[in-house]
């Protein structure tokens, strides 16, 4: 091959590499990391991306050079020269990709193993998913259950994930880690938050009509603020957690129903602002609709959409509080 050709191929390769690098770097493909685990995932991501850009540059250079150099004239109908392969070239283009793919596998395996390791003393929080809400149970002298996920910064957290009904998936984009939440088994997820702030929890498994609304906030706070949250949620806030308003939020009612006192406006299920009890006592009708949603169907809504598990997942006291909250929130009352 002549020197001129090598120079031209190199120039094409460098140009292709610059274009691909610009697309990789200038477009914000990933959210800003807020956990140690996501930092490692980003490393694996960039490790693979740099290799891909290199391979792309070589292939693009060969293609551009060939298209320009070996172009035939419009009236040239002759066959191309017969070529019988090139053993040296074939060994090179098999061996180099094999080495690169192996390197990506090794880096990914190390990242996966380290991202699964919570260390000797993680904070263990039990996460319960149900259509269409998240609930969190914190360790401590007093059991604290809340619809809010609050995490202390720089402390490894091991989430144990349970589902009461169908398959959900727990994901916080800024934490990187993601796991399915499967009924009947326990899955886990390790997160070590590094940045104080508020991020979204997103359900990423289609789990029913309220799936798109199955979201919640996670707050990463200072250690002292985490302790304060636990005290307020367990003590004075304990009452809060068992109020009708809190149960409406943690049971996920707002994922499907509009209810002005709770500030929700979802349209999956009937509006709860002005419930028509069909001549029956309002509280009795509401209780029946929570425990057995198919008993009476409001016109325009189908059965088997609302989970029929609330009589099991909520205690009698909780259902009482929820009924009370709904009765008091009726418009025109
Ligand atoms: Cu839960 Cu989608």
């Amino acid at each position: 091959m002549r020197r001129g050709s090598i120079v031209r191929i190199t120039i094409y390769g460098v140009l292709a590499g610059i274009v691909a690098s610009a697309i990789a770097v200038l477009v914000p493909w990933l959210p800003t990391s807020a956990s140690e685990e996501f930092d490692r995932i980003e490393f694996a991501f960039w490790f693979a991306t740099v290799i891909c850009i290199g391979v792309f540059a070589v292939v693009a250079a060969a293609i551009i050079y060939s298209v320009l150099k070996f172009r035939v004239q419009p009236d040239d109908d002759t066959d191309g020269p017969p070529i019988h392969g090139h053993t040296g070239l074939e060994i090179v283009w098999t061996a180099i990709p094999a080495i690169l793919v192996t390197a990506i596998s090794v880096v990914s395996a190390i990242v996966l193993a380290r991202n699964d390791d919570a260390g000797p003393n993680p904070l263990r929080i039990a996460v319960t998913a149900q259509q269409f809400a998240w609930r969190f149970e914190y360790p401590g002298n007093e059991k604290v259950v809340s619809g809010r996920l609050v995490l202390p910064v720089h402390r490894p957290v091991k989430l144990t994930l349970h589902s009461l009904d169908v398959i959900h998936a727990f994901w916080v984009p800024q934490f990187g880690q993601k796991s399915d939440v499967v009924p009947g088994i326990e899955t886990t997820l390790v997160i070590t938050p590094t940045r104080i702030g508020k991020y979204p929890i997103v359900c990423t498994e289609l789990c029913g009509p309220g799936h798109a609304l199955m979201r919640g906030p996670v707050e990463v706070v200072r250690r002292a603020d985490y302790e304060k949250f636990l005290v307020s949620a367990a003590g004075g806030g304990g009452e809060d957690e068992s109020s009708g308003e809190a149960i409406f939020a943690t049971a996920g009612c707002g994922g499907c129903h509009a209810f002005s006192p709770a500030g929700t406006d979802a349209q999956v299920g009937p509006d709860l602002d002005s419930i028509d009890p069909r001549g029956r006592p309002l509280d009795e009708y509401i209780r029946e609709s929570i425990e057995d949603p198919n008993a009476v169907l409001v016109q325009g809504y189908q059965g088997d959409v609302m989970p029929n598990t609330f009589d099991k997942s909520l205690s009698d006291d909780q259902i009482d509080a929820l009924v009370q909250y709904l009765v008091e929130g009726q418009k025109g009352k």
Side-chain angles (χ1 to χ4, degrees):
M1 204 187 256
R2 287 182 298 112
R3 269 249 319 272
S5 299
I6 292 173
V7 170
R8 276 170 67 187
I9 289 184
T10 308
I11 291 172
Y12 298 148
V14 169
L15 288 178
I18 289 173
V19 171
S21 302
I23 293 171
V25 173
L26 297 180
V27 179
W29 298 105
L30 300 175
T32 307
S33 168
S35 79
E36 282 179 20
E37 289 72 23
F38 196 28
D39 293 345
R40 293 188 198 111
I41 292 171
E42 274 191 321
F43 175 79
F45 175 82
W46 285 112
F47 184 80
T49 301
V50 167
I51 288 175
C52 291
I53 290 174
V55 171
F56 172 77
V58 170
V59 172
I63 291 175
I64 296 169
Y65 177 82
S66 303
V67 165
L68 297 177
K69 168 96 177 174
F70 304 113
R71 180 191 294 269
V72 293
Q73 296 304 311
D75 55 353
D76 180 359
D77 290 335
T78 57
D79 288 336
I83 294 172
H84 290 285
H86 188 298
T87 307
L89 193 58
E90 284 166 17
I91 288 173
V92 168
W93 77 31
T94 305
I96 291 179
I99 292 167
L100 295 178
V101 170
T102 307
I104 294 174
S105 310
V106 169
V107 167
S108 303
I110 292 171
V111 167
L112 274 176
R114 292 193 60 188
N115 277 2
D116 239 9
D117 180 8
N121 184 30
L123 176 65
R124 288 171 192 275
I125 297 176
V127 180
T128 306
Q130 88 182 96
Q131 294 168 317
F132 299 97
W134 302 100
R135 203 166 65 230
F136 306 96
E137 207 178 303
Y138 297 84
N141 301 332
E142 237 178 306
K143 196 171 100 174
V144 174
V145 180
S146 174
R148 285 168 66 199
L149 180 56
V150 179
L151 302 176
V153 73
H154 296 308
R155 164 117 197 244
V157 178
K158 186 161 195 170
L159 301 175
T160 53
L161 307 161
H162 302 266
S163 170
L164 295 181
D165 38 46
V166 299
I167 302 176
H168 305 270
F170 181 96
W171 183 48
V172 175
Q174 289 79 0
F175 290 164
Q177 299 275 68
K178 185 194 254 184
S179 174
D180 278 3
V181 189
V182 184
I185 65 169
E186 179 182 292
T187 50
T188 61
L189 204 55
V190 174
I191 290 163
T192 313
T194 52
R195 203 150 54 84
I196 287 173
K198 203 166 177 179
Y199 314 104
I201 300 167
V202 183
C203 177
T204 59
E205 188 73 54
L206 183 59
C207 55
H211 160 69
L213 299 157
M214 189 166 165
R215 285 163 176 252
V218 49
E219 292 158 66
V220 177
V221 298
R222 271 182 230 99
R223 176 66 65 92
D225 292 334
Y226 172 73
E227 302 297 341
K228 254 187 245 165
F229 158 76
L230 280 190
V231 170
S232 76
E239 259 174 37
D240 245 348
E241 296 292 326
S242 62
S243 71
E245 186 179 2
I247 293 158
F248 188 90
T250 53
C253 310
C256 295
H257 295 283
F259 191 50
S260 305
T264 63
D265 58 0
Q267 304 288 322
V268 176
D271 193 316
L272 300 181
D273 279 322
S274 28
I275 298 171
D276 171 15
R278 293 146 202 263
R280 289 162 54 189
L282 183 60
D283 55 345
E284 182 195 300
Y285 174 76
I286 293 176
R287 171 177 284 276
E288 180 189 77
S289 299
I290 293 170
E291 294 179 344
D292 182 9
N294 290 340
V296 178
L297 295 176
V298 176
Q299 199 179 9
Y301 296 93
Q302 290 181 347
D304 296 324
V305 171
M306 175 164 159
N308 58 3
T309 49
F310 288 115
D311 60 331
K312 290 184 215 78
S313 61
L314 298 176
S315 69
D316 282 347
D317 288 349
Q318 287 177 312
I319 293 181
D320 285 344
L322 189 53
V323 171
Q324 191 63 27
Y325 177 59
L326 290 165
V327 168
E328 282 165 7
Q330 293 305 297
K331 282 218 171 104
K333 242 187 100 86

